[in-house]
Amino acid sequence: MEDSLTRPSSPAGLSCYMALSQLLGLTVIAMTGAWMGQYRGGIAWESSLQFNVHPLCMVIGMVFLQGDALLVYRVFRNETKRSAKILHGVLHAFALVIALVGVIAVFDYHRKKGFADMYSLHSWCGITAFSLYFIQWLMGFSFFLFPGASFSLRSRYKPQHVFFGVSLFVLSIATCLLGIKELLLFNIQATYSSFVPEGILANALGLLLIVFGLVLGYILTRDEWKRPPLAEELALSMDFKTLTKGESPSSSSQ
């Protein structure tokens, strides 16, 4: 009872924007699945439909789950910092695994069909985003979850980690937009300008991806919506700063 009174409630407006972000994210996934199912024949691994695994997995992994991982520190405001870190890392790990399935699917499909790899801007941006995302996860695990990193080292690396995390999310959405355009030109170039239903659906999907990114960006950049440190975290931080100055926590508090 007493503990619940000391823990701050969710800031005004945050819950609404969080709900909006999840609605947009799930809608983007549903629209991608509908596009692949309704207009591209469906999804299967051992057939010519293997390519369709790629866009669905990349949207789920590199957009939706990556975005949700970025929001962990806004949603779980009253959980311990370590719990939030673990969930943040696990969501990113799931995103990586699902995205890896998508990457394998497209390379395997190209190999079976005899198509060239890595020649388009979409493929260059995509492999860059995926590779940097994997490196970002490794760096984050090493600095923030692995017990070997010092507090001062984590503090110095944190701004870079946050910057590259948001940048990779933006790059992922941009890569999806390039992929949408590329897929449309490959499949319906002759009829695209006639406002065919597939083109309209894909264009709407692209717009929703942008809106999803903007909503997440708004949530992440609101200072008053950042996760406040819990009392015990503040105490640990003060003790560390005191010890690094050559004093004991007890003497500094007297």
Side-chain angles (χ1 to χ4, degrees):
M1 177 73 174
E2 189 175 313
D3 183 60
S4 64
L5 291 174
T6 59
R7 298 197 173 206
S9 59
S10 179
L14 176 58
S15 297
C16 293
Y17 276 94
M18 287 299 308
L20 177 61
S21 72
Q22 297 310 288
L23 178 62
L24 286 168
L26 293 173
T27 302
V28 162
I29 293 173
M31 288 182 67
T32 305
W35 182 15
M36 296 302 106
Q38 182 70 25
Y39 297 103
R40 296 292 103 215
I43 294 173
W45 191 265
E46 294 295 337
S47 73
S48 60
L49 302 177
Q50 184 180 16
F51 174 85
N52 296 343
V53 175
H54 174 70
L56 184 61
C57 283
M58 302 317 281
V59 167
I60 294 173
M62 297 296 289
V63 177
F64 181 68
L65 286 179
Q66 184 182 180
D68 273 6
L70 296 177
L71 294 176
V72 162
Y73 292 107
R74 301 297 185 272
V75 177
F76 298 96
R77 307 171 59 80
N78 299 322
E79 309 302 323
T80 64
K81 188 75 172 286
R82 182 160 185 81
S83 298
K85 284 181 182 179
I86 291 173
L87 180 58
H88 179 74
V90 167
L91 283 175
H92 279 309
F94 280 147
L96 272 169
V97 170
I98 293 173
L100 178 61
V101 173
V103 171
I104 292 172
V106 72
F107 276 106
D108 195 41
Y109 173 79
H110 283 179
R111 179 185 59 80
K112 292 174 181 176
K113 294 292 185 178
F115 296 159
D117 289 314
M118 300 303 301
Y119 64 88
S120 67
L121 179 60
H122 167 69
S123 62
W124 286 21
C125 290
I127 204 66
T128 299
F130 180 78
S131 301
L132 291 178
Y133 190 39
F134 179 62
I135 294 172
Q136 169 85 346
W137 186 87
L138 287 178
M139 295 288 287
F141 180 83
S142 301
F143 277 92
F144 300 113
L145 287 175
F146 193 73
S150 66
F151 182 86
S152 59
L153 193 59
R154 292 176 182 178
S155 299
R156 287 196 296 269
Y157 174 66
K158 183 180 176 181
Q160 285 75 35
H161 184 72
V162 172
F163 170 78
F164 283 110
V166 175
S167 298
L168 285 171
F169 179 67
V170 173
L171 177 59
S172 298
I173 290 181
T175 303
C176 285
L177 297 178
L178 289 171
I180 290 172
K181 184 68 173 179
E182 186 174 292
L183 188 56
L184 287 174
L185 292 179
F186 280 161
N187 290 293
I188 61 168
Q189 184 174 6
T191 58
Y192 187 25
S193 60
S194 302
F195 293 94
V196 293
E198 181 178 359
I200 294 173
L201 175 65
N203 287 348
L205 172 60
L207 287 177
L208 282 180
L209 281 167
I210 295 173
V211 175
F212 178 67
L214 290 174
V215 170
L216 258 72
Y218 183 73
I219 295 172
L220 294 172
T221 54
R222 287 285 297 267
D223 287 337
E224 62 270 31
W225 289 355
K226 289 182 178 179
R227 177 186 179 276
L230 303 180
E232 56 269 27
E233 295 167 4
L234 287 173
L236 287 172
S237 178
M238 290 296 294
D239 284 350
F240 174 82
K241 291 177 181 177
T242 303
L243 288 171
T244 55
K245 292 178 182 177
E247 305 172 7
S248 68
S250 59
S251 63
S252 66
S253 62
Q254 291 177 350

